[in-house]
Amino acid sequence: WAVAKNVPSNTTLANSFKAVTYTGNQSTNSITGVGFKPDLIWLKERSGTDRHVLIDSLRGEDSQISSDSNAAETTYASNFDSFDTDGFTLGDATETNGNGETYVGWCWKAGNTWQSNLDGTIASTVNVNTANGFSVVHWYGTQAAGATVGHGLGAVPEMIIVKRLDYAEDWVVYHSSLGNTKTLNLNTTDAEVTDAAFNNTTPTSSVFTLSNCASGSCINSNSGNYIAYCWTPKSGYSKFGSYSGNNTGQTITTGFQPDFLMLKKTNTSSEWWIMDSVRGTTNNLEANTTDAENTGISGAPTFVSTGFNFSGSTFNETGTDWIYMAFKMN
């Protein structure tokens, strides 16, 4: 019996992220212009209140999860038909392709394939691109304290978003700016909590560590079915950081002009705000709600060549702490 060590099959940074907008037709609808075959697609209706739909190539096109809900994975073939070389094709479901409704799709490229990963004490399956710092990771929990899961990035992930697939449990978010003892929930407005989900252990270049679920969020339930989206920063393309509000003007430096930005307060409750250059930063969606797009947001950040800046208190109130994830369409 021979087992090969996993080797990432796609190591290209170019064409790694794209935001696209489209109008639904409630029939077969091919969305092109992405520029690559995506491995994670995050869809949201802008004009109405249908749920967020996240599909990845590791779980397959019929399996969906929603950032606004703690619900288990659902199988719904009408939502999504295929991952294509220049985008994706939708079925006739109204939540992703309602006739005349408007939508946005945020697309990330991984390795366009999967490999087994034996770096951790728990075997995982990964779809990874080491050049752009993104991997999709699947595993089954053991409830063993200190169990580790290989992520395949070859660098330390600074943001990990985890969802249990077979049971209704909150999304769990690790962010390097919070440290290894605190987490957030993607599907709620809650502030950061002290939480041992990651066993109070900082991820390494090969694995992240799980607790035995004795306290806090559980991402290692015995035989639990989990998916994680992991990112490590890449110069000129992605950044995961934090800032404190000052109620006036400030520029947050990413080293590039972002095209996608997600913001969340950490020391008090707030939405998970999502903005992008395609829709315009004054048009925001919330990852944790099904709300239609908020338009004309006063004081929204402006994307500039070195990052993003604020001219007032919106997303920048004195006494508030924030985390962010930012990407450039490259």
Side-chain angles (χ1 to χ4, degrees), residues 222-237:
N222 191 32
S223 300
N225 186 5
Y226 295 93
I227 198 78
Y229 306 119
C230 306
W231 288 275
T232 189
K234 293 295 178 179
S235 178
Y237 165 68

PDB file of all heavy atoms in Angstrom, residues 222-237:
ATOM      1  N   ASN A 222     -17.048  14.062  17.904  1.00  0.00           N
ATOM      2  CA  ASN A 222     -16.743  12.709  17.450  1.00  0.00           C
ATOM      3  C   ASN A 222     -17.569  12.360  16.215  1.00  0.00           C
ATOM      4  O   ASN A 222     -18.799  12.390  16.252  1.00  0.00           O
ATOM      5  CB  ASN A 222     -17.011  11.701  18.561  1.00  0.00           C
ATOM      6  CG  ASN A 222     -16.452  10.333  18.234  1.00  0.00           C
ATOM      7  OD1 ASN A 222     -15.429  10.211  17.559  1.00  0.00           O
ATOM      8  ND2 ASN A 222     -17.117   9.300  18.697  1.00  0.00           N
ATOM      9  N   SER A 223     -16.906  12.086  15.107  1.00  0.00           N
ATOM     10  CA  SER A 223     -17.505  11.767  13.801  1.00  0.00           C
ATOM     11  C   SER A 223     -18.219  12.951  13.163  1.00  0.00           C
ATOM     12  O   SER A 223     -18.881  12.791  12.134  1.00  0.00           O
ATOM     13  CB  SER A 223     -18.471  10.578  13.907  1.00  0.00           C
ATOM     14  OG  SER A 223     -17.796   9.420  14.368  1.00  0.00           O
ATOM     15  N   GLY A 224     -18.093  14.150  13.740  1.00  0.00           N
ATOM     16  CA  GLY A 224     -18.683  15.333  13.125  1.00  0.00           C
ATOM     17  C   GLY A 224     -18.032  15.637  11.782  1.00  0.00           C
ATOM     18  O   GLY A 224     -16.833  15.430  11.586  1.00  0.00           O
ATOM     19  N   ASN A 225     -18.810  16.156  10.859  1.00  0.00           N
ATOM     20  CA  ASN A 225     -18.407  16.391   9.478  1.00  0.00           C
ATOM     21  C   ASN A 225     -18.157  17.892   9.299  1.00  0.00           C
ATOM     22  O   ASN A 225     -19.083  18.693   9.464  1.00  0.00           O
ATOM     23  CB  ASN A 225     -19.520  15.895   8.559  1.00  0.00           C
ATOM     24  CG  ASN A 225     -19.166  15.942   7.088  1.00  0.00           C
ATOM     25  OD1 ASN A 225     -18.043  16.261   6.724  1.00  0.00           O
ATOM     26  ND2 ASN A 225     -20.128  15.630   6.250  1.00  0.00           N
ATOM     27  N   TYR A 226     -16.924  18.300   8.956  1.00  0.00           N
ATOM     28  CA  TYR A 226     -16.563  19.711   8.965  1.00  0.00           C
ATOM     29  C   TYR A 226     -15.917  20.148   7.646  1.00  0.00           C
ATOM     30  O   TYR A 226     -15.227  19.372   6.989  1.00  0.00           O
ATOM     31  CB  TYR A 226     -15.567  19.995  10.099  1.00  0.00           C
ATOM     32  CG  TYR A 226     -16.142  19.773  11.475  1.00  0.00           C
ATOM     33  CD1 TYR A 226     -16.000  18.547  12.112  1.00  0.00           C
ATOM     34  CD2 TYR A 226     -16.833  20.786  12.128  1.00  0.00           C
ATOM     35  CE1 TYR A 226     -16.532  18.326  13.379  1.00  0.00           C
ATOM     36  CE2 TYR A 226     -17.368  20.584  13.389  1.00  0.00           C
ATOM     37  CZ  TYR A 226     -17.225  19.357  14.006  1.00  0.00           C
ATOM     38  OH  TYR A 226     -17.753  19.144  15.245  1.00  0.00           O
ATOM     39  N   ILE A 227     -16.140  21.431   7.330  1.00  0.00           N
ATOM     40  CA  ILE A 227     -15.446  22.077   6.222  1.00  0.00           C
ATOM     41  C   ILE A 227     -14.825  23.373   6.752  1.00  0.00           C
ATOM     42  O   ILE A 227     -15.399  24.039   7.635  1.00  0.00           O
ATOM     43  CB  ILE A 227     -16.407  22.391   5.043  1.00  0.00           C
ATOM     44  CG1 ILE A 227     -15.623  22.653   3.751  1.00  0.00           C
ATOM     45  CG2 ILE A 227     -17.361  23.525   5.372  1.00  0.00           C
ATOM     46  CD1 ILE A 227     -15.136  21.409   3.085  1.00  0.00           C
ATOM     47  N   ALA A 228     -13.645  23.713   6.257  1.00  0.00           N
ATOM     48  CA  ALA A 228     -13.002  24.972   6.641  1.00  0.00           C
ATOM     49  C   ALA A 228     -12.457  25.656   5.404  1.00  0.00           C
ATOM     50  O   ALA A 228     -11.974  25.004   4.471  1.00  0.00           O
ATOM     51  CB  ALA A 228     -11.876  24.728   7.631  1.00  0.00           C
ATOM     52  N   TYR A 229     -12.525  26.990   5.400  1.00  0.00           N
ATOM     53  CA  TYR A 229     -11.897  27.819   4.384  1.00  0.00           C
ATOM     54  C   TYR A 229     -10.749  28.557   5.068  1.00  0.00           C
ATOM     55  O   TYR A 229     -10.959  29.272   6.054  1.00  0.00           O
ATOM     56  CB  TYR A 229     -12.903  28.795   3.782  1.00  0.00           C
ATOM     57  CG  TYR A 229     -14.140  28.103   3.256  1.00  0.00           C
ATOM     58  CD1 TYR A 229     -15.407  28.394   3.769  1.00  0.00           C
ATOM     59  CD2 TYR A 229     -14.040  27.115   2.269  1.00  0.00           C
ATOM     60  CE1 TYR A 229     -16.539  27.737   3.289  1.00  0.00           C
ATOM     61  CE2 TYR A 229     -15.170  26.454   1.801  1.00  0.00           C
ATOM     62  CZ  TYR A 229     -16.414  26.771   2.313  1.00  0.00           C
ATOM     63  OH  TYR A 229     -17.529  26.103   1.859  1.00  0.00           O
ATOM     64  N   CYS A 230      -9.532  28.339   4.566  1.00  0.00           N
ATOM     65  CA  CYS A 230      -8.320  28.833   5.221  1.00  0.00           C
ATOM     66  C   CYS A 230      -7.562  29.771   4.281  1.00  0.00           C
ATOM     67  O   CYS A 230      -7.383  29.450   3.102  1.00  0.00           O
ATOM     68  CB  CYS A 230      -7.402  27.674   5.599  1.00  0.00           C
ATOM     69  SG  CYS A 230      -8.176  26.378   6.596  1.00  0.00           S
ATOM     70  N   TRP A 231      -7.088  30.883   4.846  1.00  0.00           N
ATOM     71  CA  TRP A 231      -6.316  31.836   4.049  1.00  0.00           C
ATOM     72  C   TRP A 231      -5.048  32.243   4.781  1.00  0.00           C
ATOM     73  O   TRP A 231      -5.058  32.451   5.999  1.00  0.00           O
ATOM     74  CB  TRP A 231      -7.120  33.102   3.773  1.00  0.00           C
ATOM     75  CG  TRP A 231      -8.243  32.966   2.802  1.00  0.00           C
ATOM     76  CD1 TRP A 231      -8.174  33.049   1.426  1.00  0.00           C
ATOM     77  CD2 TRP A 231      -9.636  32.768   3.110  1.00  0.00           C
ATOM     78  NE1 TRP A 231      -9.423  32.913   0.875  1.00  0.00           N
ATOM     79  CE2 TRP A 231     -10.342  32.736   1.872  1.00  0.00           C
ATOM     80  CE3 TRP A 231     -10.343  32.617   4.305  1.00  0.00           C
ATOM     81  CZ2 TRP A 231     -11.715  32.565   1.808  1.00  0.00           C
ATOM     82  CZ3 TRP A 231     -11.713  32.435   4.245  1.00  0.00           C
ATOM     83  CH2 TRP A 231     -12.393  32.408   2.999  1.00  0.00           C
ATOM     84  N   THR A 232      -3.979  32.389   4.031  1.00  0.00           N
ATOM     85  CA  THR A 232      -2.764  33.019   4.509  1.00  0.00           C
ATOM     86  C   THR A 232      -2.486  34.216   3.608  1.00  0.00           C
ATOM     87  O   THR A 232      -2.787  34.171   2.407  1.00  0.00           O
ATOM     88  CB  THR A 232      -1.578  32.025   4.505  1.00  0.00           C
ATOM     89  OG1 THR A 232      -0.458  32.612   5.170  1.00  0.00           O
ATOM     90  CG2 THR A 232      -1.161  31.624   3.100  1.00  0.00           C
ATOM     91  N   PRO A 233      -1.980  35.334   4.132  1.00  0.00           N
ATOM     92  CA  PRO A 233      -1.833  36.542   3.310  1.00  0.00           C
ATOM     93  C   PRO A 233      -0.778  36.391   2.228  1.00  0.00           C
ATOM     94  O   PRO A 233       0.233  35.711   2.410  1.00  0.00           O
ATOM     95  CB  PRO A 233      -1.432  37.614   4.328  1.00  0.00           C
ATOM     96  CG  PRO A 233      -0.804  36.852   5.440  1.00  0.00           C
ATOM     97  CD  PRO A 233      -1.546  35.559   5.529  1.00  0.00           C
ATOM     98  N   LYS A 234      -1.040  37.063   1.100  1.00  0.00           N
ATOM     99  CA  LYS A 234      -0.094  37.119  -0.002  1.00  0.00           C
ATOM    100  C   LYS A 234       0.096  38.580  -0.410  1.00  0.00           C
ATOM    101  O   LYS A 234      -0.884  39.301  -0.645  1.00  0.00           O
ATOM    102  CB  LYS A 234      -0.580  36.301  -1.197  1.00  0.00           C
ATOM    103  CG  LYS A 234      -0.625  34.801  -0.935  1.00  0.00           C
ATOM    104  CD  LYS A 234       0.760  34.218  -0.695  1.00  0.00           C
ATOM    105  CE  LYS A 234       0.736  32.733  -0.394  1.00  0.00           C
ATOM    106  NZ  LYS A 234       2.077  32.165  -0.184  1.00  0.00           N
ATOM    107  N   SER A 235       1.344  38.999  -0.493  1.00  0.00           N
ATOM    108  CA  SER A 235       1.664  40.385  -0.792  1.00  0.00           C
ATOM    109  C   SER A 235       1.010  40.840  -2.084  1.00  0.00           C
ATOM    110  O   SER A 235       1.082  40.163  -3.108  1.00  0.00           O
ATOM    111  CB  SER A 235       3.182  40.553  -0.894  1.00  0.00           C
ATOM    112  OG  SER A 235       3.524  41.870  -1.229  1.00  0.00           O
ATOM    113  N   GLY A 236       0.346  41.982  -2.026  1.00  0.00           N
ATOM    114  CA  GLY A 236      -0.291  42.557  -3.199  1.00  0.00           C
ATOM    115  C   GLY A 236      -1.617  41.938  -3.566  1.00  0.00           C
ATOM    116  O   GLY A 236      -2.263  42.370  -4.533  1.00  0.00           O
ATOM    117  N   TYR A 237      -2.072  40.941  -2.794  1.00  0.00           N
ATOM    118  CA  TYR A 237      -3.312  40.237  -3.147  1.00  0.00           C
ATOM    119  C   TYR A 237      -4.287  40.097  -1.979  1.00  0.00           C
ATOM    120  O   TYR A 237      -5.487  40.324  -2.142  1.00  0.00           O
ATOM    121  CB  TYR A 237      -2.975  38.855  -3.703  1.00  0.00           C
ATOM    122  CG  TYR A 237      -4.149  37.914  -3.761  1.00  0.00           C
ATOM    123  CD1 TYR A 237      -5.210  38.145  -4.637  1.00  0.00           C
ATOM    124  CD2 TYR A 237      -4.218  36.793  -2.936  1.00  0.00           C
ATOM    125  CE1 TYR A 237      -6.306  37.293  -4.676  1.00  0.00           C
ATOM    126  CE2 TYR A 237      -5.301  35.934  -2.973  1.00  0.00           C
ATOM    127  CZ  TYR A 237      -6.350  36.186  -3.843  1.00  0.00           C
ATOM    128  OH  TYR A 237      -7.429  35.341  -3.882  1.00  0.00           O
TER     129      TYR A 237
END
